[in-house]
Structures are given as structure tokens and as C-alpha cells.
Amino acid sequence: MKNFNTTRFINLLLWQFAWSKKKLLYMVAGCAAAIIIPALLTISLTRSAFNADNLGGFICAFAFVYFMTSGALIASNIGNKRQRIALFSLPATKLEKFLARYLHLVVIIPLAALLGIIAGDAIQAIFSLIVAGNCDSVFLSLFKGHWFMSGNGGYAATVITLLLLLLGHSFMLLCGTIFRRHAWIKTMIAQGVVAIIVSTVIALIGFTITMSLDKIFGAGQYNVVFAGDGYQIAAQILFLAFLVAGIIASYWGAFRIYSRMQAVNNQWHNL
């Protein structure tokens, strides 16, 4: 069997969609209700158009949290033996199953949520027009701030920020394949522990350098000179390379662990 076949992969996506169709419908209905209910209450009480900015900001924050943590759900659809047998018995490779599950988390579920937002936004806009004579759009408010295109700090800062987000997302994906039960909670704890360890190491390095300089030159008897533009660019490139390497390692490790999962006698920790 070839490692990747487009037709087989599309069939796997369709099977996964049919398997989770009811949950996706609940997602659409829930997102629509999250807009319709507060909008209708506000319009009914104030007799004015619904202000969509606050709700749009909340949706952006929720989308950010979901993207960062969705990787931890990569194995949530094979939590018991019945689910594992249903998935692993399909005529497809582990790569296709891994990619199909990943796309389901980061594309299909957000699209279902977006469909619910658009439907709820359309209903509240019609109701606003009828009651108040004008309307505001929750969907359009999602793009008013353009926070993802702000460019504060230059292109390098924007790229670094996006890579940091992707690194956190990929690390959650890796931990989602490592932990069998309560993966989301354990992954959040693991991420916090790693962040504490890294920040502590950086702080210790800085403290060691400061103490060494104080011992050599005396406390307060030296000046710290910032590197020139060339060194700063080199440092940014080095940091970008570190982030990219971490992202690639997390994705590779997640797939390696996922590819060794079995329907029976599953060895979750076997790399």
C-alpha cells in the first residue's frame, strides 16, 4: 500500500465527516445560538441594533485558545477499543489517518463554527433591521482590528509571533499523542512545566553572566552595549531556525507516536 493516496485520503475524510456529523451539527447550532441569544435579548431590551464588537472580540479570543489547544485532541476519537478498531481497520495508511484527523481538528471543526457564526449573524442582523432599522455584523467585526496584520515591530516580529503560536500548537499536538487520558489537562500542565524550566534556565544564564561581569569588572563598573543591526538580524535568524526546528520536531514526534498506536494492546508511550 502506498504511503499516501489522494483518493483514499478523500474517502477517509468523508468517512470521518460522516462519523462526526452529529457533533458538527451541534457545533453549528451552538455557535449560532451563542450569537442569536445575546443579540435578541439586547435588541429586545434596548430597541437598538446589536453591538457586535464585544462579541467579535470574544470569538477571536476563543478561536485563539482553540487553535493553541486543539492539537491535544488528536487522539480523542480513539479513546476506547471500539473507536480504535473502527479507525485502524480502515484501508488507509497511518499517515493518511493522522492527516485526516489533524485536518478535522484545524479545518473542519473551525469551518463548522464559522458556519454557525454566519447563520447566527444573519438572523440577528435581520432582527436588528426589523426592530431598530439598522444592524451590525459580528462576522465583519472579527476583521476590524486586523491584529494578525498589524506589523508592530516589523515583519520579523510578526513572523516570530506566528511561529511561536505554531510551536505551542505543535507541542500540544505532540502531547496529545503521548497522554492517553485527560490529554488536554495533562498537556496544559506539561506546557506550563516546560515554560517554567526554559524561563528558569534563561534567567540562570543571565544571572551567571551578570555575576561573572561583576566579578571581573566590579558591580556597576561596566556598560552593556547592544549589538549592531547585523548581529540582531543574525540573532533573529537563529531564533527563527530554533522555532522552525521545534515545530518540525513536534510534528514529527506526534506522527511517530500516532503511527505506532494499535487497536489492541496499545503502546502509547512506544516511540
Side-chain angles (χ1 to χ4, degrees):
M1 182 183 293
K2 292 183 179 180
N3 201 30
F4 189 87
N5 181 275
T6 304
T7 302
R8 195 170 57 214
F9 178 67
I10 293 175
N11 290 333
L12 183 60
L13 282 175
L14 294 175
W15 175 87
Q16 191 163 241
F17 177 80
W19 181 270
S20 59
K21 180 171 58 178
K22 184 179 293 186
K23 292 182 179 179
L24 292 175
L25 290 176
Y26 287 154
M27 173 69 69
V28 173
C31 291
I35 294 177
I36 294 172
I37 293 175
L40 295 187
L41 288 175
T42 302
I43 296 168
S44 300
L45 293 175
T46 63
R47 296 295 175 178
S48 60
F50 178 66
N51 187 353
D53 289 339
N54 293 332
L55 190 56
F58 174 79
I59 292 174
C60 286
F62 181 81
F64 169 77
V65 172
Y66 175 79
F67 174 75
M68 291 297 295
T69 60
S70 59
L73 305 175
I74 188 69
S76 61
N77 65 328
I78 49 175
N80 55 58
K81 185 184 295 186
R82 175 177 172 270
Q83 292 174 327
R84 291 195 296 271
I85 292 175
L87 179 63
F88 292 154
S89 61
L90 293 175
T93 63
K94 288 292 181 67
L95 175 61
E96 292 164 351
K97 294 169 184 176
F98 179 78
L99 291 177
R101 177 60 180 169
Y102 182 75
L103 289 178
H104 181 81
L105 290 175
V106 301
V107 177
I108 303 301
I109 292 179
L111 283 178
L114 183 61
L115 182 61
I117 291 171
I118 293 174
D121 191 28
I123 294 174
Q124 72 84 16
I126 293 172
F127 194 74
S128 292
L129 286 173
I130 295 174
V131 175
N134 57 12
C135 65
D136 196 4
S137 173
V138 176
F139 179 76
L140 293 179
S141 70
L142 300 178
F143 304 96
K144 284 183 179 179
H146 297 290
W147 60 270
F148 50 88
M149 299 174 60
S150 59
N152 293 330
Y155 291 107
T158 302
V159 172
I160 289 175
T161 300
L162 293 176
L163 288 178
L164 282 171
L165 296 178
L166 190 57
L167 178 62
H169 169 77
S170 61
F171 180 77
M172 295 287 283
L173 179 70
L174 174 62
C175 292
T177 58
I178 294 175
F179 300 118
R180 179 174 182 178
R181 299 179 185 274
H182 311 293
W184 189 85
I185 297 176
K186 292 179 181 178
T187 301
M188 293 298 293
I189 295 174
Q191 198 169 40
V193 171
V194 171
I196 292 173
I197 292 174
V198 172
S199 59
T200 301
V201 170
I202 294 175
L204 287 175
I205 292 174
F207 178 76
T208 302
I209 293 175
T210 302
M211 293 297 294
S212 299
L213 291 175
D214 288 345
K215 186 177 181 180
I216 296 173
F217 300 102
Q221 300 302 313
Y222 58 90
N223 295 322
V224 177
V225 179
F226 290 98
D229 293 339
Y231 288 102
Q232 291 183 12
I233 293 174
Q236 289 177 345
I237 294 175
L238 182 62
F239 187 51
L240 288 173
F242 172 78
L243 293 178
V244 172
I247 293 169
I248 294 175
S250 296
Y251 276 110
W252 180 83
F255 171 67
R256 285 284 297 171
I257 299 173
Y258 190 91
S259 64
R260 290 181 178 265
M261 292 180 183
Q262 302 173 10
V264 183
N265 297 326
N266 197 17
Q267 299 296 322
W268 292 76
H269 60 280
N270 185 7
L271 298 178

